Each structure stands twice: as structure tokens, then as C-alpha cells.
């Protein structure tokens, strides 16, 4: 008999079906198992996606209150999207990236925030331009700008690399700079201005390189942003 607490999905399996349960303990275990499976081969990931894994991820992201469950899902997504492009497309089509973007805008849980940032960063790094536009429409730009406002080196390093990748892909199309404009409108240039004062030199250099590659001097002046502001020396505390 089917457990009455489960909500079966088409082509579900004993592994992916439990993520649709109303039992918090079972969801916690199931999401961890699936996340570990997604560390395996492309064939392993194919099985997870074949049996409704992407839809199950969306269910957890939209209904669960336990940040650890959501962290497991974001971890799984970040590993899935670095495989064949069809895997990333499955995740995008399910709506999971839209929910991950929302998490980055709202969560105060550091572990969840970091895994969500990895999921967005890896997706941007591996997507084609049309998929990047889909991610932007799903709120990924706002999510990135929110991360740029924190001071954590690891999160900033992840997001700056992803942003640089997607803006490079936009430049390569030779078309309108829609994504870079939306990033600017979302407060992205202002966030980059603040990061020019970041104490970590690698973050500072990434910011300068990103701005020089993607924004004209006129655009930066309009935002009152120096392209290569002198980095202040750290003062010793007596």
C-alpha cells in the first residue's frame, strides 16, 4: 500500500517520492540521500531527474520550513547543473532556480545561503545565454545583488565569478546589454562600489576587472563609481 502521507508524482521512485511526504524526518533523510546521489555519475543524476527529482526539489523549496532540507536540495542542484546542459534545463524548467533565488533574498541561515549561492553560481557558469535570460527572469539578478551586500569572502568570490561569466556570455552575443542593465537597475553597480573597499585584495581585483570589462566609464561616472579607486591601506591598531 502507498503511504497515505505521500503525494506520489508521475514516474516517482522509492528515492524521489519521499521528498513529497509530510513527514519532516523522512524529508530530511530523503533530501540528504538524494544530494549524495547527485555527487555521482551523470547516469545517477539522470535517474534522479527521470523519477521526478527536479519537481521534488521544488516541493521542498516551497513547502519546507527546515533550512537543512532546503540546504540539501540546493547542494544537490549545485552538483546537478554542472553536468550535461539537459540537466540544468530540467532544473530551470521545474522552477527550482526561481525558488533558490527567493531563498537568497530572504534567508538568514548562513549554511542555506551559501548552498543557494553555489546553486546560482554554478547554474550561471554552465548555462547558455538563453538559459541565463531565463534565470534573470526568475529573479537571479536580485539574488546576486543581495549577496554582493555581505562581507563574506567565500560567498562574494562565488557570486562575482558567476556574474562575470554571465556578463561575458552577454557580451559575446553582440546584442543589447539587457542583463547588465538589469543588474545596474537592481543596485548592482552601487554594491560593486562598496566592494571596492573590501579588505580582501582578491575581491577588490575581481570587482575592478568585472566593471572594466562590462561597464563604460560614462556608466560608472553616472553612478559616481570610480573604475579603479585607490585601495586604502590597512591601518594598524595600536
Amino acid at each position: 500500500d502507498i503511504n497515505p502521507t505521500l503525494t506520489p508524482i508521475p514516474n516517482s521512485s522509492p528515492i524521489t517520492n519521499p521528498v513529497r511526504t509530510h513527514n519532516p524526518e523522512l524529508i530530511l533523510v530523503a533530501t540528504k540521500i538524494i544530494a549524495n546521489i547527485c555527487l555521482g555519475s551523470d547516469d545517477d543524476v539522470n535517474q534522479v531527474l527521470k523519477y521526478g527529482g527536479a519537481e521534488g526539489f521544488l516541493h521542498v523549496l516551497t513547502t519546507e520550513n527546515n533550512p537543512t532540507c532546503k540546504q540539501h536540495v540546493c547542494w544537490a542542484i549545485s552538483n546537478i547543473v554542472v553536468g550535461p546542459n539537459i540537466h540544468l534545463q530540467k532544473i530551470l524548467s521545474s522552477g527550482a532556480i526561481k525558488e533558490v533565488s527567493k531563498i537568497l533574498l530572504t534567508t538568514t541561515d548562513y549554511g542555506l545561503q551559501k548552498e543557494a549561492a553555489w546553486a546560482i553560481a554554478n547554474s550561471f557558469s554552465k548555462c547558455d545565454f538563453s538559459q541565463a535570460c531565463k534565470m534573470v527572469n526568475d529573479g537571479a539578478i536580485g539574488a546576486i545583488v543581495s549577496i554582493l551586500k555581505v562581507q563574506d569572502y567565500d560567498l562574494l568570490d562565488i557570486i562575482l565569478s558567476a556574474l562575470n561569466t554571465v556578463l561575458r556570455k552577454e557580451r559575446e552575443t553582440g546584442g543589447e546589454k539587457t542583463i547588465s542593465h538589469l543588474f545596474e537597475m537592481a543596485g548592482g553597480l552601487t554594491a560593486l562600489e562598496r566592494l571596492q573597499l573590501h579588505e580582501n585584495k582578491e575581491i577588490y581585483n575581481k570587482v575592478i576587472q568585472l566593471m572594466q570589462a562590462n561597464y563604460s566609464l560614462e556608466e560608472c561616472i553616472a553612478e559616481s563609481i570610480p573604475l579603479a579607486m585607490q585601495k586604502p591601506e590597512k591601518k594598524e591598531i595600536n
Side-chain angles (χ1 to χ4, degrees):
D1 293 339
I2 296 177
N3 187 327
T5 64
L6 298 179
T7 306
I9 54 179
N11 298 322
S12 62
S13 77
I15 292 296
T16 57
N17 205 17
V19 300
R20 301 291 290 254
T21 184
H22 302 295
N23 183 325
E25 293 182 1
L26 184 55
I27 293 176
L28 182 63
V29 173
T31 53
K32 186 173 183 179
I33 290 173
I34 294 173
N36 278 285
I37 291 173
C38 293
L39 289 171
S41 67
D42 289 341
D43 287 339
D44 294 331
V45 174
N46 282 335
Q47 292 301 306
V48 170
L49 296 176
K50 176 182 178 179
Y51 291 109
E55 293 76 14
F57 294 156
L58 179 64
H59 176 79
V60 171
L61 293 172
T62 55
T63 64
E64 275 303 301
N65 294 320
N66 187 339
T68 304
C69 293
K70 293 183 179 182
Q71 186 176 334
H72 290 160
V73 166
C74 290
W75 179 34
I77 290 173
S78 69
N79 285 301
I80 288 173
V81 298
V82 297
N85 186 266
I86 191 172
H87 291 174
L88 170 59
Q89 187 58 50
K90 284 269 191 180
I91 296 296
L92 285 173
S93 298
S94 74
I97 290 297
K98 186 173 185 178
E99 293 305 317
V100 173
S101 297
K102 290 180 181 178
I103 285 172
L104 277 172
L105 289 170
T106 59
T107 188
T108 57
D109 184 279
Y110 177 75
L112 175 54
Q113 186 182 52
K114 192 166 186 175
E115 291 303 333
W118 269 112
I120 294 294
N122 283 355
S123 297
F124 262 143
S125 297
K126 294 296 182 178
C127 68
D128 58 34
F129 185 65
S130 64
Q131 290 171 327
C133 291
K134 165 67 174 169
M135 290 183 64
V136 170
N137 289 335
D138 284 347
I141 288 295
I144 283 179
V145 173
S146 72
I147 293 297
L148 292 178
K149 296 177 182 179
V150 305
Q151 291 297 308
D152 183 271
Y153 168 78
D154 289 335
L155 288 178
L156 288 173
D157 186 54
I158 294 167
I159 290 300
L160 285 171
S161 295
L163 179 62
N164 190 53
T165 298
V166 75
L167 291 180
R168 174 180 54 77
K169 290 176 180 177
E170 181 175 61
R171 291 198 311 274
E172 290 171 352
T173 67
E176 295 184 8
K177 297 173 66 175
T178 304
I179 296 177
S180 57
H181 177 68
L182 289 173
F183 175 73
E184 180 181 350
M185 295 298 292
L189 287 183
T190 302
L192 291 177
E193 176 185 14
R194 287 193 291 266
L195 285 177
Q196 290 186 60
L197 296 172
H198 197 279
E199 63 181 11
N200 186 287
K201 188 175 180 180
E202 292 181 15
I203 295 297
Y204 168 77
N205 288 336
K206 279 192 172 185
V207 168
I208 295 300
Q209 292 167 7
L210 188 153
M211 294 174 67
Q212 289 178 333
N214 297 286
Y215 294 96
S216 67
L217 180 60
E218 290 76 13
E219 288 171 313
C220 292
I221 290 175
E223 291 288 329
S224 301
I225 298 174
L227 266 177
M229 184 172 61
Q230 180 66 37
K231 188 170 177 61
E233 295 293 330
K234 293 181 65 176
K235 294 181 180 180
E236 294 184 3
I237 300 177
N238 295 324

